[in-house]
Amino acid sequence: MTELAHDPYMPQSGDPTFGVESYDLRIGYRVRTNRLEGVATLHAVAHVALRAFTLDLVGLRATRVRVNGEARTSYRPGPRKLRVVPVAPIAAGERFTVEVVYAGQPAPRRSRWGAIGWEELDDGALVAAQPTGAPTWFPCNDRPADRARYRLEITTEDGYETAATGTPSAPVRRGGTVTTTFASDTPTATYLAAVHIGRYRTTPLAGTGVAAVPTVRVSAPPALREAVASAFADVPRMLRVFGEAFGPYPQTDCALVVTDDVLEIPLEAQGLAVFGSNHLAPASQRLVAHELAHQWFGNSVGLARWEDIWLNEGFACYAEWVWSEASGSTSAAALAASYHARLAAEPQDLVLADPGPDRMFDDVVYKRGALTLHALRTLLGDETFFRMLRDWTAVNRHRTVVTDDFRRAVATAGGAAAVAQLGAWIDRTPLPPLG
């Protein structure tokens, strides 16, 4: 896929003619009325000569757009796109600034994967943007390969706390409002930028911030304090296990949010993950491991295109098995045998390296991806396999990759036999033997 190609899974998202280097978002949000008012400043660079370009914006109305401060900039809103025409053409390679003033009542957008984006809670809000929900709360170039720096200034009513992508400043209270600023220089995809607002209290998690374990901030309702402490008690050990298996924790921040609401699934963002109150039960511990693992696989080593989603989900699923084994529970081999038997009983109709947009979040992608890694581990042996994964995360830290990049990593680690085995698992529909 060339730099100027649309993602084939999301051809209506993003504009490949330019890239965003940083987003500066100033957002005011009123929980009681679900009213969002924002000013977005995008610092961008043109990949080709531009007479016009588009930003993704869904369900919110732009009231002013300026390119390079020019008040005569013209723009035309649509249901999914904001078309912008600068006063003067922008040359290929030229850097430019776009300022968009916008407002409205944010809501999830409907998609083939369900409702995604900005979501009201019973007493707050969250963002669950994967894969194309980011435009429900800010104008953006919504492409997974277009990673940028972020500064988020979030103002809401006093009494609420905000957790978001980046390192937070001290909250500033003024006139019944509270403003918190979050800054991140880590290259971040639009779908991995997040904001969570609720009646939270944020505290450091016990046992973190020592040795190789980063400080973990936990934002949760005070009434759930004991349940949260119990549910996350193993997080420090999880981070140590993953650090040994996959390399040092790759993010600047590590934050966990727990809502008072019940959520269908937890979800990762850059340096952050959100869980519902229903995910505090012991049976959900594998989900905690899964979301933490995404900080390596998906959030640091990121996708250049959505068809390679197995590089996110298969790896995070296998991390669940790595944690299970390390914690003294079921071994990865036993889990692999169990899931292999389950998949063998189902239709063999999915190509892991290109599952199609309808099935990119199918559980088969998760489990077959994890089985692929276990088969490679069995072939290569633990020492070579985990060295390969540590090299993978180190070489591609905060970069985007495609499946062929992983083929090359496998070739380096295990030669032609390992590449052939990988191909059997990811390029063809029949389920190979586990080994």
Side-chain angles (χ1 to χ4, degrees), residues 151-208:
R151 180 183 179 277
L152 309 176
E153 182 183 298
I154 312 296
T155 300
T156 189
E157 300 104 313
D158 203 356
Y160 293 90
E161 280 196 9
T162 300
T165 300
T167 303
S169 65
V172 176
R173 289 174 169 79
R174 183 185 299 112
T177 66
V178 57
T179 299
T180 310
T181 301
F182 300 81
S184 174
D185 287 332
T186 301
T188 299
T190 48
Y191 84 93
L192 291 172
V195 172
H196 302 285
I197 297 170
R199 295 191 183 274
Y200 301 138
R201 294 295 179 270
T202 301
T203 57
L205 182 65
T208 66

Side-chain angles (χ1 to χ4, degrees), residues 243-371:
E244 293 171 1
F246 310 138
Y249 182 75
Q251 308 294 340
T252 304
D253 294 275
C254 189
L256 305 176
V257 179
V258 180
T259 72
D260 220 359
D261 298 55
V262 169
L263 302 182
E264 182 179 357
I265 57 171
L267 193 67
E268 82 281 2
Q270 198 82 19
L272 183 154
V274 62
F275 301 85
S277 57
N278 53 311
H279 297 133
L280 300 179
S284 294
Q285 188 174 81
R286 70 172 186 84
L287 301 177
V288 178
H290 185 103
E291 303 309 331
L292 285 176
H294 271 309
Q295 301 307 330
W296 283 263
F297 306 112
N299 300 5
S300 178
V301 183
L303 297 180
R305 59 193 186 191
W306 286 109
E307 68 189 68
D308 298 305
I309 187 67
W310 83 277
L311 294 173
N312 284 12
E313 301 302 349
F315 282 56
C317 184
Y318 194 65
E320 297 177 32
W321 302 359
V322 170
W323 165 247
S324 177
E325 185 170 88
S327 66
S329 186
T330 310
S331 70
L335 288 166
S338 174
Y339 283 111
H340 188 273
R342 294 186 197 183
L343 292 190
E346 297 180 6
Q348 310 294 304
D349 59 356
L350 182 142
V351 175
L352 189 60
D354 190 4
D358 287 332
R359 298 190 66 186
M360 60 186 279
F361 297 116
D362 194 303
D363 192 54
V364 175
V365 172
Y366 292 55
K367 299 304 188 295
R368 184 158 174 159
L371 286 168

Side-chain angles (χ1 to χ4, degrees), residues 7-222:
D7 190 304
Y9 280 26
M10 317 285 172
Q12 295 181 324
S13 291
D15 184 340
T17 65
F18 73 99
V20 180
E21 295 181 325
S22 68
Y23 291 90
D24 189 325
L25 307 178
R26 290 186 287 123
I27 291 172
Y29 180 71
R30 293 189 62 82
V31 174
R32 292 176 179 82
T33 58
N34 186 39
R35 173 73 178 179
L36 184 151
E37 297 180 352
V39 180
T41 303
L42 287 63
H43 298 274
V45 60
H47 296 319
V48 297
L50 297 177
R51 292 188 176 274
F53 58 89
T54 62
L55 298 173
D56 298 280
L57 188 63
V58 177
L60 299 169
R61 180 172 177 264
T63 57
R64 190 182 78 199
V65 179
R66 292 181 175 177
V67 175
N68 294 332
E70 177 55 70
R72 295 176 298 156
T73 302
S74 64
Y75 63 96
R76 185 173 73 244
R80 294 186 298 268
K81 294 282 190 177
L82 179 66
R83 178 176 169 81
V84 180
V85 182
V87 172
I90 299 170
E94 182 181 346
R95 284 178 166 78
F96 62 100
T97 301
V98 187
E99 180 190 82
V100 182
V101 179
Y102 64 105
Q105 291 186 298
R109 70 184 301 182
R110 290 176 292 181
S111 76
R112 68 179 80 196
W113 312 280
I116 52 176
W118 188 282
E119 181 179 339
E120 283 187 87
L121 300 175
D122 286 342
D123 193 15
L126 63 76
V127 167
Q130 185 174 259
T132 58
T136 64
W137 66 284
F138 69 103
C140 58
N141 193 0
D142 196 23
R143 306 172 64 231
D146 194 34
R147 293 182 156 205
R149 303 183 304 275
Y150 281 79
R151 180 183 179 277
L152 309 176
E153 182 183 298
I154 312 296
T155 300
T156 189
E157 300 104 313
D158 203 356
Y160 293 90
E161 280 196 9
T162 300
T165 300
T167 303
S169 65
V172 176
R173 289 174 169 79
R174 183 185 299 112
T177 66
V178 57
T179 299
T180 310
T181 301
F182 300 81
S184 174
D185 287 332
T186 301
T188 299
T190 48
Y191 84 93
L192 291 172
V195 172
H196 302 285
I197 297 170
R199 295 191 183 274
Y200 301 138
R201 294 295 179 270
T202 301
T203 57
L205 182 65
T208 66
V210 295
V213 178
T215 299
V216 179
R217 301 189 304 273
V218 179
S219 300

Side-chain angles (χ1 to χ4, degrees), residues 245 377 380-391 413:
R377 178 181 177 182
L380 298 174
D382 278 14
E383 182 177 349
T384 299
F385 173 76
F386 284 109
R387 182 171 63 247
M388 176 184 72
L389 292 190
R390 289 190 293 272
D391 289 345

